[in-house]
Structures are given as structure tokens and as C-alpha cells.
Amino acid sequence: MNRRTFVKTLPALTVLASTTAAFAQDTPKPTQDLKPITLPKPEMDGGKSVLAALKERKTTRNISAKELPPQVLSNLLWAAFGVNREKGSFGKPGRTAASASNSQEIDLYVALPGGVYLYEAIPHRLAPVVAGDLRGRAGRGAAASAPLNIFYVVDLTRYDTGPGQPDHRIGDPEVQKSYYYTDTGLIAGNVYLFAASQGLAAWFHNCNKEAAAKEFKLRPEQRVLFAQTVGYPA
């Protein structure tokens, strides 16, 4: 290849290289590349009052790529669906958001730049799911570059349909649907209020459910419902 031919080919090579880099960034990597993230103990005070947060609550789609500090991430996840008391109903710990018969059927899959993690309310940590930058599965624009995307995933096996269950309708798929959509909304509402109290931006939206379910290696009984993007206002 002579110099003139190489110069003409260079732009195409540059585009190919950038495309390959972007593809590699979005490609899931082995889970062993990730380690569990132990979150700092959540802070139980600070921020604006509930009434002030309600006044400030809004959807903000312009979100910066600036990283969230570990303490802010810890506080956010605890506010979303953390444990706030040792004994709740039906023999389970209580959480910061209600769920049907305390089923706690909604899981928070947290997409960070380095990988996707499952939020474990006990012991308040992030367990590795898949390595790689999969934030783009939440959507385009700010959703793909914001520091945090929460994917809401329902696990239908969490519904207790045994003889001791007082809610005889809980085994009905349509009733379950009404429950898990409502329970997701309650958690997302907590995220919105926390964001408002801390001066953060939050955006609840749809996502690429099929791709996320495949790459998160979900079981058939698990379904991706929505995503919520959180970060600093751009």
C-alpha cells in the first residue's frame, strides 16, 4: 500500500477502530472480573425535609457523567429499598418500600461503568452479576453515560402461594402484575425523593428489556420491568 492509498484509507480505519472500541465497551465480560462492593453504612439523616423534597421532586433527563461517591450510592440504594427494621410482616425484615404481602419481589440490578451488580439489602452490598459497561441497555442519551442506572426486575417465585397465604389472589398472574408494577413504583418514588433531597437528577423510563434479561442471565421467572437513571444534573 502506497502513502496516497493509506491516507485515503485512514478515515475508514479510524471509524472501524472507534466502532470496535464501542462494541467492546458494551460487550459483557466474565463475572470473575468483578468483586462484591461493600457499601458504606447508610446515613439516616441529612438532606432536605420530606416536604421540601416533594416540592423539588421532578424528572430530569439531562444528567452528568460525574461519578457518585460511595456514600451517596449507599444512601441512595438504602433509601430505594433498604432494610429499615429487623422485623416486618410475614417473618421478613421491613424495607423502605412496601410490597404485596411483604413479598419483596423486586430486585435492583445496578449498572455502573464497570459492570452490573445486584443490590443485596442484607448485608447492604452490591453482588457482581456481569462485567462490562451495560448502562446503554437502559436507553440512549444520558441513560447510557450517567453514573448509575437501576434496572427493576421482578422475581415471580417470591410470591408465596401456599395455604398459609391470606391473600388468595396472589397466585393470579394478572393480580401479580398489578402488584409488581405498583411495588416498582413505590421504590422508584423513594429514589425520586432521595434525589430531590440531595440535589440529584433522576429519570424513570423504559429500557431494553430483552437485551438486559439475556445479559443479566435472568431466569424465566424473572422479568425486567423499567430502569431509572440517577446522577448529578448536567
Side-chain angles (χ1 to χ4, degrees):
M1 181 185 294
N2 60 36
R3 183 177 183 277
R4 180 176 297 178
T5 303
F6 176 77
V7 170
K8 288 182 178 180
T9 309
L10 187 58
L13 293 175
T14 302
V15 172
L16 177 61
S18 61
T19 303
T20 303
F23 177 78
Q25 183 184 35
D26 289 342
T27 303
K29 299 178 180 63
T31 310
Q32 57 262 32
D33 292 349
L34 294 181
K35 294 182 179 180
I37 298 176
T38 300
L39 297 167
K41 184 178 180 180
E43 297 171 335
M44 303 297 177
D45 53 17
K48 299 177 182 177
S49 69
V50 172
L51 294 178
L54 286 168
K55 184 176 183 295
E56 297 292 331
R57 193 226 67 83
K58 60 183 177 181
T59 291
T60 302
R61 294 175 175 83
N62 295 322
I63 301 175
S64 167
K66 179 182 176 182
E67 183 180 359
L68 294 175
Q71 187 65 63
V72 173
L73 177 61
S74 171
N75 295 349
L76 166 63
L77 294 174
W78 179 84
F81 203 33
V83 172
N84 63 0
R85 57 201 186 280
E86 291 184 4
K87 294 183 179 179
S89 56
F90 297 90
K92 300 176 183 177
R95 308 286 286 269
T96 57
S99 59
S101 297
N102 202 20
S103 299
Q104 303 181 16
E105 79 278 30
I106 305 299
D107 283 319
L108 277 57
Y109 281 72
V110 179
L112 300 174
V116 177
Y117 299 80
L118 174 64
Y119 173 55
E120 296 179 339
I122 300 176
H124 190 61
R125 71 171 186 173
L126 292 173
V129 174
V130 59
D133 189 353
L134 300 181
R135 291 173 294 171
R137 303 304 179 265
R140 300 179 179 178
S145 58
L148 169 69
N149 278 308
I150 299 172
F151 289 83
Y152 293 101
V153 176
V154 61
D155 185 345
L156 299 176
T157 65
R158 303 269 178 81
Y159 290 119
D160 181 5
T161 58
Q165 169 61 250
D167 185 355
H168 64 279
R169 305 166 302 164
I170 204 166
D172 185 328
E174 287 302 310
V175 172
Q176 291 179 350
K177 183 183 295 185
S178 69
Y179 285 162
Y180 60 69
Y181 279 139
T182 298
D183 295 346
T184 297
L186 293 170
I187 300 171
N190 282 357
V191 172
Y192 265 122
L193 287 179
F194 175 83
S197 76
Q198 301 292 319
L200 298 175
W203 172 23
F204 183 79
H205 50 83
N206 214 327
C207 60
N208 190 334
K209 298 179 176 65
E210 293 77 15
K214 180 180 179 180
E215 291 164 348
F216 298 174
K217 299 178 176 60
L218 300 184
R219 293 176 281 103
E221 300 84 8
Q222 293 177 289
R223 299 175 186 172
V224 180
L225 303 177
F226 297 100
Q228 193 166 18
T229 305
V230 184
Y232 292 100

